[in-house]
Amino acid sequence: NIAGAHICTYLLEKSRVVFQAANERNYHIFYQLCALRDIPEMKHLHLRHPDDFRFTRQGNAPEIDNVDDSETFYEMSEGLFNLGITEEQQLFLFSVLAAILHMGNIEFIEERNDSCSISNNDEHLLIAAKLLGLEVPQLQKWLCHKTLKARNETVVMSLKQKDAFAGMEAFVKHIYASLFLWVVKLLNAALSNGKKDAINFIGILDIYGFEMFEENSFEQFCINYANEKLQQQFNQHVFKLEQAEYIKEEIKWSFIDFTDNQPCIDLIEKKMGIIDLLDEQCRMNRGTDENWVQILYKELTDSVHFKKPKTGNDQFVIVHYADKVSYLCHGFIAKNLDAVNESHINLLKTSSFTFFTDVLNAKLDLEKRKKYRLRLCVDTTA
């Protein structure tokens, strides 16, 4: 008999919340909520068709063939109820998700002196503030400003239009990730059997497939790195350890040749490897994607798993176990830093929704456990 279960997050594709490639959707829940925009229970969310929101229209794929978003919403909601997530918690969850869509439609107006503003009458600002339980003037202010600590004083600085927009995107990604982890925490509480360690267990890992698009960035790099590690686990247990057991027991055995992908993993995670050099560039005040990729060319070209493209100086190629993938360097530093304006975090703490305390704590709990174990892990990001 199954005594319990535990879910942990291995990799969450936060960038999907604010950007989708062609023919890709954002997370399904956003479309499900929009599909129910006209029912009385959802009227307060002020939702529209997915094409009316910046965060759900970029992939030009608002619908999936033979899938009814309204129907799948009710299935999802019923599943949450069955696992103990209350109506009050679900309404909070849907309100915050709707607020994310409205945040993406807020208009940042460029002003003089490298600053920007948001109109007092911006419809999406007003709705987002209400759905997040925040005061409108405070949300309006901190989307266009940030604090800077200098010695013993804190200075409030105005943001340029593009920086304010980028800050808003980082803010909603942080909200979504925190919300996701909060839901996982609630599910684990419902699925737990009260014991810390199971004697026998079945581990299930649901992970993205290997990705290779016309343009590949930080997200594909992370996904493909994860797949390299999974392939290594497979090699270790199916080939190396199993065949070692056959030798130990002196069983006649025709050895299976397999490609050991450890050199590719070393390229990525060893000291002075791709990630180490990226982190080093992130620690520099003036680190840039361009400088980073030039350092990669200098330090890593001896590896058979690293290639410099014949044309262009803003890409690098990794020879993965599955295929060669060319990565564009643009955005790697910003995405690796994953910087969120501290003022935005402090703003959420002022929300009238008491659930936000639990949501923010769920994110902090995970950050205390930076090293993930594949044991009993299920990635539920889809």
Side-chain angles (χ1 to χ4, degrees):
N1 294 328
I2 296 177
H6 184 79
I7 303 168
C8 64
T9 305
Y10 186 73
L11 180 63
L12 178 62
E13 192 183 3
K14 292 186 294 184
S15 62
R16 184 177 291 270
V17 177
V18 299
F19 173 77
Q20 306 90 48
N23 301 316
E24 291 279 335
R25 296 219 307 181
N26 201 327
Y27 288 106
H28 298 313
I29 184 62
F30 293 113
Y31 302 90
Q32 293 169 358
L33 288 171
C34 287
L36 295 173
R37 59 189 177 275
D38 293 327
I39 68 171
E41 296 87 344
M42 297 294 183
K43 283 288 188 180
H44 70 289
L45 302 181
H46 300 282
L47 292 172
R48 305 171 184 176
H49 189 277
D51 286 343
D52 293 324
F53 291 104
R54 179 182 286 117
F55 289 160
T56 47
R57 65 171 178 244
Q58 296 175 67
N60 294 317
E63 298 177 352
I64 301 175
D65 292 341
N66 302 317
V67 173
D68 185 331
D69 285 317
S70 299
E71 185 178 325
T72 54
F73 171 86
Y74 288 117
E75 292 173 354
M76 176 274 301
S77 181
E78 183 181 0
L80 293 179
F81 276 124
N82 291 338
L83 288 168
I85 298 182
T86 66
E87 180 179 1
E88 185 183 12
Q89 290 170 326
Q90 289 195 38
L91 288 174
F92 166 73
L93 174 66
F94 303 148
S95 292
V96 177
L97 290 169
I100 287 175
L101 293 182
H102 288 290
M103 291 270 284
N105 277 23
I106 292 174
E107 183 181 356
F108 293 85
I109 304 167
E110 189 172 4
E111 304 285 358
R112 296 179 180 179
N113 302 321
D114 290 334
S115 64
C116 69
S117 65
I118 301 170
S119 170
N120 294 332
N121 300 317
D122 189 299
E123 176 187 11
H124 297 286
L125 170 72
L126 301 176
I127 296 171
K130 184 176 181 179
L131 294 176
L132 292 172
L134 302 174
E135 295 181 6
V136 173
Q138 289 298 303
L139 180 59
Q140 183 182 31
K141 174 183 178 180
W142 293 114
L143 285 177
C144 297
H145 297 81
K146 71 175 181 177
T147 55
L148 185 66
K149 293 181 180 179
R151 294 185 180 180
N152 297 324
E153 62 177 342
T154 301
V155 180
V156 177
M157 295 181 58
S158 298
L159 294 172
K160 297 179 182 179
Q161 182 188 45
K162 66 174 184 177
D163 293 333
F165 186 81
M168 178 274 295
E169 290 192 327
F171 188 23
V172 299
K173 286 191 291 183
H174 178 83
I175 292 173
Y176 186 87
S178 300
L179 203 62
F180 182 89
L181 294 172
W182 175 66
V183 172
V184 170
K185 187 176 181 179
L186 293 176
L187 295 177
N188 281 335
L191 296 169
S192 173
N193 66 352
K195 297 179 181 179
K196 291 186 177 180
D197 294 306
I199 297 174
N200 297 306
F201 67 91
I202 299 173
I204 303 172
L205 181 68
D206 180 13
I207 188 65
Y208 308 91
F210 188 83
E211 289 195 352
M212 181 172 60
F213 301 128
E214 200 168 309
E215 289 189 358
N216 302 286
S217 189
F218 184 78
E219 294 76 24
Q220 284 69 49
F221 172 77
C222 290
I223 290 167
N224 293 340
Y225 171 42
N227 275 285
E228 287 284 359
K229 296 291 283 185
L230 292 173
Q231 182 66 26
Q232 182 191 45
Q233 288 282 319
F234 180 82
N235 289 346
Q236 178 73 9
H237 289 278
V238 175
F239 294 120
K240 293 181 180 178
L241 295 180
E242 191 69 23
Q243 295 190 145
E245 192 67 26
Y246 275 59
I247 294 173
K248 180 181 176 182
E249 296 183 12
E250 298 181 349
I251 298 173
K252 291 184 179 180
W253 173 255
S254 297
F255 283 90
I256 299 173
D257 291 328
F258 65 95
T259 301
D260 188 350
N261 67 333
Q262 185 62 50
C264 184
I265 291 173
D266 290 341
L267 168 72
I268 296 171
E269 66 182 20
K270 70 178 182 181
K271 186 173 177 60
M272 296 301 286
I274 292 174
I275 293 176
D276 192 46
L277 293 172
L278 177 61
D279 289 341
E280 181 182 321
Q281 198 70 195
C282 288
R283 288 190 290 268
M284 299 174 64
N285 290 332
R286 296 190 178 183
T288 66
D289 297 316
E290 291 74 17
N291 287 344
W292 170 62
V293 80
Q294 293 305 314
I295 293 171
L296 295 186
Y297 293 159
K298 179 180 178 182
E299 299 290 339
L300 303 177
T301 48
D302 288 343
S303 171
V304 296
H305 290 276
F306 182 89
K307 305 291 182 185
K308 178 183 177 182
K310 294 181 180 179
T311 59
N313 290 314
D314 59 352
Q315 300 181 51
F316 61 94
V317 176
I318 297 178
V319 183
H320 290 285
Y321 78 90
D323 207 342
K324 297 178 183 178
V325 180
S326 179
Y327 297 97
L328 277 169
C329 72
H330 305 303
F332 264 71
I333 287 179
K335 292 172 182 176
N336 190 51
L337 283 169
D338 198 23
V340 181
N341 190 334
E342 186 178 349
S343 301
H344 292 162
I345 307 301
N346 293 332
L347 181 61
L348 285 180
K349 293 177 181 178
T350 69
S351 172
S352 60
F353 294 128
T354 56
F355 283 129
F356 257 123
T357 300
D358 294 333
V359 169
L360 295 175
N361 286 340
K363 186 78 163 62
L364 289 173
D365 289 345
L366 183 67
E367 288 173 352
K368 291 176 182 177
R369 297 178 279 109
K370 283 292 185 182
K371 294 183 178 180
Y372 307 113
R373 295 166 62 189
L374 290 182
R375 181 183 179 189
L376 296 174
C377 287
V378 179
D379 174 24
T380 52
T381 55

